[in-house]
Amino acid sequence: MATSIKKLPDIEQVLSGNGACGGCPATMALRIVGKALGTNAIMLLTPSCSVASMGMTPKLGYNWPCINITFASAGSSASGITHALEIMKEKGRLEGELPTVFSWVGDGGTYDIGFQALSAAAERNDNIIHFCYNNEAYSNTGVQRSGATPRGTYTTTTPSGKRQPKKNMALLMLEHNIPYVATATVAYPGDLYDKVVKAKNTPGMKYIEILAPCYLGWQFDMAETVQLSRMAVRSGAWLLWEAENGKISFNSPSSNIISGKKAAEPVDEYLMKQGRFKRLLQGSDASQRIAEIQGDIDQQIAFMRERAKINI
Ligand SMILES: Cc1ncc(C[n+]2csc(CCOP(=O)(O)OP(=O)(O)O)c2C)c(N)n1
Ligand code: SF4
Ligand SMILES: [Mg+2]
């Protein structure tokens, strides 16, 4: 059972007065991450909404030492910092528990532009946590498609709908044989919190991906961020899972969908809540477009079930 939201620590690492939109899922997620990591951490960020939101020194919106780096170097910079800390400790120049080194990167920075250095850090099993907050687009620059954008989505670079399905990035990270991989989303804060605590206490490379429904890119009312996040999970469009030393397990409520105890909700309602789909679902080919999106979801559920060796 996941930790109750009422039991999360009071500590706030995301400070009030930052520049994020109201209802920003990345900021909500980072608040929960902060509660799990505590103050003893070093944060790396690549260009993104989270950088645009954080403000400027000395009035940073996040209560950690923060390093802004290029897209391509999140993996290598985090590796460098963690190794430098280890050497300083070895030489007696640092005392006490080493800070957690973590990268906070969007889907554009993770799936696409930063993938090479991230893959190399995973291959070396360097002691870092890479968080991908996945709003399924390059939001900060006006919502362009990324490798995380699902098929059928309107973005400014896919005006008639993206033609390709999204990558399974978390699974790609798992294929690097790293000790911990997890997916999460803001509607399940206790689940996210528990996963971050686990990652913090696991040596080596950790990857946590958080689905982050963004009202601007997804085109819904900003008060409904958490509702959209929950609908993504209930429809099976986003699966909650974790893998410890390669063994995959699913978390509630995705575990019920995977085990066949409860069917995933049809994707229609989830799609119609979002302008990025709705605007393309008004033509005569609407049912075919919905069927394609539903097909991708069903295929991923079946694939993950098989990958986790679960028979129903
Ligand atoms: C090499 C490079 N290409 C493009 C940009 C412009 N740029 C800045 S932020 C951004 C979007 C990043 O998308 P993502 O990583 O998904 O984060 P989000 O904006 O969605 O929070 C882009 C393309 C850049 N800064 N550097
Ligand atoms: S555009 Fe989306 S991800 Fe970016 S700050 Fe606004 S709500 Fe957050
Ligand atoms: Mg993004």
Side-chain angles (χ1 to χ4, degrees), residues 197-245:
V197 170
K198 236 178 237 181
K200 182 185 170 184
N201 294 325
T202 304
M205 176 84 190
K206 288 80 58 177
Y207 176 82
I208 299 183
E209 183 167 336
I210 305 161
L211 183 73
C214 157
Y215 88 97
L216 182 88
W218 296 25
Q219 301 169 14
F220 60 83
D221 185 333
M222 63 163 74
E224 295 181 333
T225 302
V226 172
Q227 191 188 343
L228 261 292
S229 160
R230 194 175 299 117
M231 289 174 91
V233 172
R234 289 190 178 163
S235 65
W238 189 250
L239 295 172
L240 298 176
W241 59 273
E242 63 190 325
E244 291 174 74
N245 297 314

Short mmCIF file of all heavy atoms in Angstrom, two decimals, residues 197-245:
data_model
loop_
_atom_site.label_atom_id
_atom_site.label_comp_id
_atom_site.label_asym_id
_atom_site.label_seq_id
_atom_site.Cartn_x
_atom_site.Cartn_y
_atom_site.Cartn_z
N VAL A 197 11.80 7.52 -2.56
CA VAL A 197 12.53 7.06 -1.37
C VAL A 197 13.35 5.81 -1.71
O VAL A 197 14.53 5.69 -1.36
CB VAL A 197 11.55 6.77 -0.19
CG1 VAL A 197 12.26 6.06 0.96
CG2 VAL A 197 10.92 8.07 0.30
N LYS A 198 12.72 4.90 -2.46
CA LYS A 198 13.42 3.67 -2.87
C LYS A 198 14.65 4.02 -3.72
O LYS A 198 15.74 3.49 -3.52
CB LYS A 198 12.47 2.80 -3.70
CG LYS A 198 12.29 1.41 -3.15
CD LYS A 198 11.31 0.65 -4.01
CE LYS A 198 10.17 0.16 -3.14
NZ LYS A 198 9.19 -0.62 -3.87
N ALA A 199 14.44 4.92 -4.68
CA ALA A 199 15.55 5.30 -5.56
C ALA A 199 16.68 5.95 -4.76
O ALA A 199 17.87 5.66 -4.99
CB ALA A 199 15.05 6.26 -6.64
N LYS A 200 16.32 6.79 -3.82
CA LYS A 200 17.33 7.48 -3.00
C LYS A 200 18.19 6.47 -2.23
O LYS A 200 19.40 6.67 -2.05
CB LYS A 200 16.60 8.40 -2.01
CG LYS A 200 17.50 9.22 -1.13
CD LYS A 200 16.70 10.00 -0.12
CE LYS A 200 17.62 10.61 0.90
NZ LYS A 200 16.91 11.31 1.96
N ASN A 201 17.57 5.38 -1.81
CA ASN A 201 18.28 4.40 -0.99
C ASN A 201 18.90 3.26 -1.80
O ASN A 201 19.40 2.29 -1.23
CB ASN A 201 17.32 3.82 0.06
CG ASN A 201 16.90 4.90 1.05
OD1 ASN A 201 17.69 5.78 1.39
ND2 ASN A 201 15.65 4.87 1.47
N THR A 202 18.86 3.38 -3.12
CA THR A 202 19.44 2.33 -3.98
C THR A 202 20.71 2.88 -4.63
O THR A 202 20.64 3.91 -5.31
CB THR A 202 18.44 1.92 -5.10
OG1 THR A 202 17.23 1.50 -4.47
CG2 THR A 202 18.98 0.82 -5.98
N PRO A 203 21.86 2.23 -4.43
CA PRO A 203 23.06 2.72 -5.11
C PRO A 203 23.00 2.45 -6.61
O PRO A 203 22.32 1.51 -7.04
CB PRO A 203 24.21 1.92 -4.48
CG PRO A 203 23.60 1.01 -3.46
CD PRO A 203 22.10 1.05 -3.59
N GLY A 204 23.68 3.26 -7.41
CA GLY A 204 23.71 3.05 -8.85
C GLY A 204 22.72 3.96 -9.57
O GLY A 204 22.19 4.91 -9.00
N MET A 205 22.47 3.63 -10.82
CA MET A 205 21.62 4.48 -11.67
C MET A 205 20.13 4.17 -11.45
O MET A 205 19.73 3.01 -11.46
CB MET A 205 21.99 4.19 -13.13
CG MET A 205 21.15 4.90 -14.13
SD MET A 205 21.77 6.58 -14.40
CE MET A 205 20.44 7.27 -15.37
N LYS A 206 19.35 5.24 -11.29
CA LYS A 206 17.91 5.10 -11.13
C LYS A 206 17.20 6.00 -12.14
O LYS A 206 17.67 7.11 -12.40
CB LYS A 206 17.45 5.53 -9.72
CG LYS A 206 17.84 4.59 -8.61
CD LYS A 206 19.25 4.69 -8.09
CE LYS A 206 19.67 6.04 -7.57
NZ LYS A 206 21.04 6.06 -7.02
N TYR A 207 16.08 5.51 -12.66
CA TYR A 207 15.32 6.30 -13.62
C TYR A 207 13.86 6.32 -13.18
O TYR A 207 13.25 5.26 -12.98
CB TYR A 207 15.43 5.68 -15.02
CG TYR A 207 14.59 6.39 -16.06
CD1 TYR A 207 15.04 7.55 -16.68
CD2 TYR A 207 13.33 5.90 -16.44
CE1 TYR A 207 14.27 8.20 -17.64
CE2 TYR A 207 12.56 6.55 -17.40
CZ TYR A 207 13.04 7.70 -17.99
OH TYR A 207 12.28 8.35 -18.94
N ILE A 208 13.29 7.52 -13.01
CA ILE A 208 11.88 7.63 -12.64
C ILE A 208 11.20 8.57 -13.63
O ILE A 208 11.65 9.71 -13.81
CB ILE A 208 11.70 8.15 -11.19
CG1 ILE A 208 12.33 7.18 -10.20
CG2 ILE A 208 10.21 8.35 -10.87
CD1 ILE A 208 12.17 7.55 -8.73
N GLU A 209 10.16 8.08 -14.24
CA GLU A 209 9.43 8.91 -15.22
C GLU A 209 8.03 9.23 -14.69
O GLU A 209 7.30 8.34 -14.27
CB GLU A 209 9.36 8.18 -16.56
CG GLU A 209 8.67 9.04 -17.59
CD GLU A 209 8.84 8.51 -19.01
OE1 GLU A 209 9.81 7.77 -19.28
OE2 GLU A 209 7.97 8.84 -19.83
N ILE A 210 7.69 10.51 -14.76
CA ILE A 210 6.43 10.98 -14.16
C ILE A 210 5.56 11.59 -15.24
O ILE A 210 5.94 12.60 -15.86
CB ILE A 210 6.74 12.05 -13.08
CG1 ILE A 210 7.73 11.51 -12.04
CG2 ILE A 210 5.46 12.53 -12.41
CD1 ILE A 210 8.42 12.58 -11.22
N LEU A 211 4.41 10.99 -15.50
CA LEU A 211 3.50 11.59 -16.49
C LEU A 211 2.99 12.91 -15.92
O LEU A 211 2.50 12.97 -14.79
CB LEU A 211 2.33 10.66 -16.80
CG LEU A 211 1.39 11.23 -17.87
CD1 LEU A 211 2.04 11.17 -19.26
CD2 LEU A 211 0.05 10.52 -17.88
N ALA A 212 3.08 13.98 -16.72
CA ALA A 212 2.78 15.33 -16.24
C ALA A 212 1.79 16.02 -17.18
O ALA A 212 2.19 16.75 -18.09
CB ALA A 212 4.09 16.12 -16.14
N PRO A 213 0.48 15.80 -16.98
CA PRO A 213 -0.50 16.41 -17.88
C PRO A 213 -0.45 17.95 -17.79
O PRO A 213 -0.66 18.52 -16.73
CB PRO A 213 -1.85 15.90 -17.36
CG PRO A 213 -1.52 14.66 -16.59
CD PRO A 213 -0.17 14.94 -15.97
N CYS A 214 -0.14 18.57 -18.91
CA CYS A 214 0.13 20.01 -18.95
C CYS A 214 -1.05 20.69 -19.65
O CYS A 214 -1.31 20.41 -20.82
CB CYS A 214 1.43 20.22 -19.72
SG CYS A 214 1.63 21.85 -20.44
N TYR A 215 -1.74 21.56 -18.94
CA TYR A 215 -2.98 22.15 -19.48
C TYR A 215 -2.71 22.91 -20.78
O TYR A 215 -3.54 22.94 -21.68
CB TYR A 215 -3.62 23.09 -18.43
CG TYR A 215 -3.10 24.50 -18.50
CD1 TYR A 215 -3.81 25.47 -19.20
CD2 TYR A 215 -1.88 24.86 -17.94
CE1 TYR A 215 -3.33 26.76 -19.33
CE2 TYR A 215 -1.39 26.12 -18.07
CZ TYR A 215 -2.12 27.08 -18.76
OH TYR A 215 -1.62 28.34 -18.90
N LEU A 216 -1.51 23.48 -20.90
CA LEU A 216 -1.21 24.31 -22.07
C LEU A 216 -1.09 23.45 -23.34
O LEU A 216 -1.71 23.73 -24.36
CB LEU A 216 0.09 25.08 -21.84
CG LEU A 216 0.47 26.01 -22.98
CD1 LEU A 216 -0.18 27.37 -22.78
CD2 LEU A 216 1.98 26.18 -23.08
N GLY A 217 -0.30 22.39 -23.25
CA GLY A 217 -0.09 21.54 -24.41
C GLY A 217 -1.25 20.59 -24.66
O GLY A 217 -1.58 20.28 -25.80
N TRP A 218 -1.87 20.12 -23.57
CA TRP A 218 -2.92 19.12 -23.72
C TRP A 218 -4.29 19.79 -23.92
O TRP A 218 -5.24 19.14 -24.29
CB TRP A 218 -2.98 18.21 -22.49
CG TRP A 218 -1.75 17.36 -22.25
CD1 TRP A 218 -0.46 17.62 -22.66
CD2 TRP A 218 -1.69 16.12 -21.55
NE1 TRP A 218 0.38 16.63 -22.24
CE2 TRP A 218 -0.34 15.69 -21.55
CE3 TRP A 218 -2.64 15.34 -20.89
CZ2 TRP A 218 0.06 14.50 -20.95
CZ3 TRP A 218 -2.23 14.16 -20.27
CH2 TRP A 218 -0.89 13.74 -20.31
N GLN A 219 -4.34 21.06 -23.58
CA GLN A 219 -5.55 21.87 -23.78
C GLN A 219 -6.75 21.37 -22.96
O GLN A 219 -7.70 20.81 -23.48
CB GLN A 219 -5.89 21.97 -25.27
CG GLN A 219 -4.75 22.58 -26.07
CD GLN A 219 -4.94 22.45 -27.57
OE1 GLN A 219 -6.01 22.12 -28.06
NE2 GLN A 219 -3.88 22.71 -28.31
N PHE A 220 -6.59 21.56 -21.65
CA PHE A 220 -7.72 21.31 -20.74
C PHE A 220 -7.70 22.40 -19.68
O PHE A 220 -6.77 23.23 -19.66
CB PHE A 220 -7.64 19.90 -20.12
CG PHE A 220 -6.39 19.64 -19.31
CD1 PHE A 220 -6.28 20.04 -17.98
CD2 PHE A 220 -5.29 18.97 -19.87
CE1 PHE A 220 -5.12 19.80 -17.24
CE2 PHE A 220 -4.14 18.73 -19.13
CZ PHE A 220 -4.06 19.15 -17.82
N ASP A 221 -8.68 22.41 -18.82
CA ASP A 221 -8.76 23.43 -17.78
C ASP A 221 -7.68 23.16 -16.72
O ASP A 221 -7.60 22.04 -16.21
CB ASP A 221 -10.17 23.34 -17.15
CG ASP A 221 -10.42 24.42 -16.13
OD1 ASP A 221 -9.44 24.90 -15.52
OD2 ASP A 221 -11.58 24.76 -15.92
N MET A 222 -6.89 24.16 -16.37
CA MET A 222 -5.74 23.92 -15.48
C MET A 222 -6.11 23.40 -14.09
O MET A 222 -5.27 22.88 -13.37
CB MET A 222 -4.82 25.15 -15.37
CG MET A 222 -5.44 26.38 -14.78
SD MET A 222 -4.18 27.57 -14.24
CE MET A 222 -3.57 28.26 -15.75
N ALA A 223 -7.38 23.51 -13.73
CA ALA A 223 -7.81 22.95 -12.44
C ALA A 223 -7.91 21.42 -12.51
O ALA A 223 -8.09 20.76 -11.49
CB ALA A 223 -9.16 23.54 -12.04
N GLU A 224 -7.81 20.86 -13.71
CA GLU A 224 -8.08 19.42 -13.88
C GLU A 224 -6.82 18.57 -14.07
O GLU A 224 -6.90 17.43 -14.54
CB GLU A 224 -9.04 19.22 -15.06
CG GLU A 224 -10.41 19.84 -14.79
CD GLU A 224 -11.40 19.64 -15.92
OE1 GLU A 224 -10.95 19.49 -17.08
OE2 GLU A 224 -12.59 19.64 -15.64
N THR A 225 -5.67 19.12 -13.71
CA THR A 225 -4.42 18.38 -13.91
C THR A 225 -4.47 16.99 -13.26
O THR A 225 -4.13 15.98 -13.90
CB THR A 225 -3.24 19.17 -13.29
OG1 THR A 225 -3.19 20.45 -13.90
CG2 THR A 225 -1.92 18.46 -13.47
N VAL A 226 -4.90 16.95 -12.01
CA VAL A 226 -4.88 15.67 -11.29
C VAL A 226 -5.90 14.71 -11.89
O VAL A 226 -5.64 13.51 -12.04
CB VAL A 226 -5.11 15.90 -9.78
CG1 VAL A 226 -5.29 14.59 -9.03
CG2 VAL A 226 -3.93 16.69 -9.19
N GLN A 227 -7.04 15.26 -12.28
CA GLN A 227 -8.08 14.41 -12.89
C GLN A 227 -7.56 13.78 -14.20
O GLN A 227 -7.76 12.59 -14.44
CB GLN A 227 -9.32 15.25 -13.18
CG GLN A 227 -10.52 14.40 -13.56
CD GLN A 227 -11.69 15.25 -14.03
OE1 GLN A 227 -11.74 16.45 -13.79
NE2 GLN A 227 -12.63 14.61 -14.70
N LEU A 228 -6.88 14.57 -15.01
CA LEU A 228 -6.33 14.03 -16.26
C LEU A 228 -5.29 12.95 -15.98
O LEU A 228 -5.22 11.93 -16.68
CB LEU A 228 -5.71 15.17 -17.08
CG LEU A 228 -6.57 15.76 -18.22
CD1 LEU A 228 -6.77 14.74 -19.34
CD2 LEU A 228 -7.92 16.25 -17.75
N SER A 229 -4.48 13.19 -14.96
CA SER A 229 -3.44 12.23 -14.58
C SER A 229 -4.09 10.90 -14.17
O SER A 229 -3.65 9.81 -14.56
CB SER A 229 -2.64 12.86 -13.44
OG SER A 229 -1.94 11.94 -12.71
N ARG A 230 -5.20 11.01 -13.43
CA ARG A 230 -5.90 9.80 -12.97
C ARG A 230 -6.55 9.08 -14.17
O ARG A 230 -6.51 7.86 -14.28
CB ARG A 230 -6.96 10.18 -11.93
CG ARG A 230 -7.51 9.00 -11.16
CD ARG A 230 -8.46 9.42 -10.05
NE ARG A 230 -7.83 10.25 -9.05
CZ ARG A 230 -8.18 11.51 -8.77
NH1 ARG A 230 -9.15 12.10 -9.43
NH2 ARG A 230 -7.54 12.19 -7.84
N MET A 231 -7.12 9.86 -15.07
CA MET A 231 -7.78 9.26 -16.24
C MET A 231 -6.76 8.54 -17.14
O MET A 231 -7.07 7.50 -17.73
CB MET A 231 -8.51 10.33 -17.07
CG MET A 231 -9.75 10.87 -16.38
SD MET A 231 -10.46 12.26 -17.30
CE MET A 231 -11.60 11.38 -18.36
N ALA A 232 -5.55 9.09 -17.21
CA ALA A 232 -4.50 8.45 -18.01
C ALA A 232 -4.22 7.05 -17.47
O ALA A 232 -4.08 6.08 -18.23
CB ALA A 232 -3.23 9.30 -17.99
N VAL A 233 -4.18 6.94 -16.15
CA VAL A 233 -3.88 5.64 -15.53
C VAL A 233 -5.08 4.69 -15.66
O VAL A 233 -4.93 3.53 -16.03
CB VAL A 233 -3.47 5.83 -14.05
CG1 VAL A 233 -3.35 4.50 -13.33
CG2 VAL A 233 -2.17 6.61 -13.97
N ARG A 234 -6.26 5.20 -15.41
CA ARG A 234 -7.45 4.32 -15.46
C ARG A 234 -7.74 3.81 -16.86
O ARG A 234 -8.33 2.75 -17.03
CB ARG A 234 -8.66 5.06 -14.90
CG ARG A 234 -8.53 5.23 -13.39
CD ARG A 234 -9.80 5.74 -12.79
NE ARG A 234 -9.68 5.86 -11.35
CZ ARG A 234 -10.49 6.56 -10.58
NH1 ARG A 234 -11.50 7.21 -11.11
NH2 ARG A 234 -10.30 6.60 -9.29
N SER A 235 -7.32 4.57 -17.87
CA SER A 235 -7.54 4.10 -19.25
C SER A 235 -6.40 3.21 -19.72
O SER A 235 -6.45 2.69 -20.84
CB SER A 235 -7.66 5.30 -20.18
OG SER A 235 -6.43 6.00 -20.23
N GLY A 236 -5.37 3.08 -18.91
CA GLY A 236 -4.22 2.27 -19.32
C GLY A 236 -3.27 3.01 -20.26
O GLY A 236 -2.28 2.46 -20.72
N ALA A 237 -3.58 4.30 -20.54
CA ALA A 237 -2.67 5.08 -21.39
C ALA A 237 -1.35 5.32 -20.67
O ALA A 237 -0.32 5.56 -21.30
CB ALA A 237 -3.32 6.42 -21.76
N TRP A 238 -1.36 5.26 -19.34
CA TRP A 238 -0.15 5.36 -18.53
C TRP A 238 -0.18 4.25 -17.50
O TRP A 238 -1.15 4.12 -16.75
CB TRP A 238 -0.08 6.74 -17.83
CG TRP A 238 1.24 6.98 -17.16
CD1 TRP A 238 1.48 7.02 -15.82
CD2 TRP A 238 2.51 7.20 -17.79
NE1 TRP A 238 2.81 7.25 -15.59
CE2 TRP A 238 3.46 7.37 -16.78
CE3 TRP A 238 2.92 7.26 -19.12
CZ2 TRP A 238 4.81 7.61 -17.04
CZ3 TRP A 238 4.26 7.50 -19.39
CH2 TRP A 238 5.19 7.68 -18.36
N LEU A 239 0.85 3.42 -17.48
CA LEU A 239 0.91 2.30 -16.54
C LEU A 239 1.87 2.63 -15.40
O LEU A 239 2.97 3.13 -15.64
CB LEU A 239 1.38 1.03 -17.25
CG LEU A 239 0.44 0.48 -18.33
CD1 LEU A 239 1.12 -0.66 -19.09
CD2 LEU A 239 -0.89 0.01 -17.72
N LEU A 240 1.43 2.34 -14.18
CA LEU A 240 2.30 2.55 -13.01
C LEU A 240 3.04 1.25 -12.74
O LEU A 240 2.42 0.22 -12.45
CB LEU A 240 1.47 2.93 -11.79
CG LEU A 240 0.66 4.23 -11.89
CD1 LEU A 240 -0.19 4.44 -10.64
CD2 LEU A 240 1.58 5.42 -12.12
N TRP A 241 4.36 1.29 -12.85
CA TRP A 241 5.14 0.07 -12.58
C TRP A 241 6.51 0.44 -12.04
O TRP A 241 6.93 1.61 -12.09
CB TRP A 241 5.26 -0.81 -13.83
CG TRP A 241 5.90 -0.21 -15.05
CD1 TRP A 241 5.27 0.50 -16.03
CD2 TRP A 241 7.27 -0.30 -15.48
NE1 TRP A 241 6.16 0.85 -17.01
CE2 TRP A 241 7.39 0.37 -16.71
CE3 TRP A 241 8.42 -0.90 -14.93
CZ2 TRP A 241 8.62 0.48 -17.40
CZ3 TRP A 241 9.62 -0.81 -15.62
CH2 TRP A 241 9.71 -0.13 -16.84
N GLU A 242 7.19 -0.53 -11.51
CA GLU A 242 8.57 -0.33 -11.06
C GLU A 242 9.34 -1.61 -11.30
O GLU A 242 8.75 -2.70 -11.40
CB GLU A 242 8.64 0.09 -9.59
CG GLU A 242 8.12 -0.91 -8.61
CD GLU A 242 8.00 -0.35 -7.20
OE1 GLU A 242 8.83 0.47 -6.78
OE2 GLU A 242 7.06 -0.77 -6.49
N ALA A 243 10.63 -1.50 -11.41
CA ALA A 243 11.47 -2.68 -11.61
C ALA A 243 12.67 -2.56 -10.68
O ALA A 243 13.45 -1.62 -10.78
CB ALA A 243 11.92 -2.78 -13.05
N GLU A 244 12.75 -3.53 -9.73
CA GLU A 244 13.89 -3.56 -8.81
C GLU A 244 14.80 -4.69 -9.27
O GLU A 244 14.36 -5.84 -9.35
CB GLU A 244 13.40 -3.80 -7.39
CG GLU A 244 12.62 -2.61 -6.86
CD GLU A 244 12.00 -2.87 -5.50
OE1 GLU A 244 12.73 -2.89 -4.50
OE2 GLU A 244 10.77 -3.06 -5.46
N ASN A 245 16.04 -4.33 -9.60
CA ASN A 245 17.00 -5.31 -10.14
C ASN A 245 16.38 -6.13 -11.28
O ASN A 245 16.52 -7.36 -11.32
CB ASN A 245 17.54 -6.20 -9.02
CG ASN A 245 18.30 -5.38 -8.01
OD1 ASN A 245 19.12 -4.53 -8.38
ND2 ASN A 245 17.99 -5.56 -6.74
#
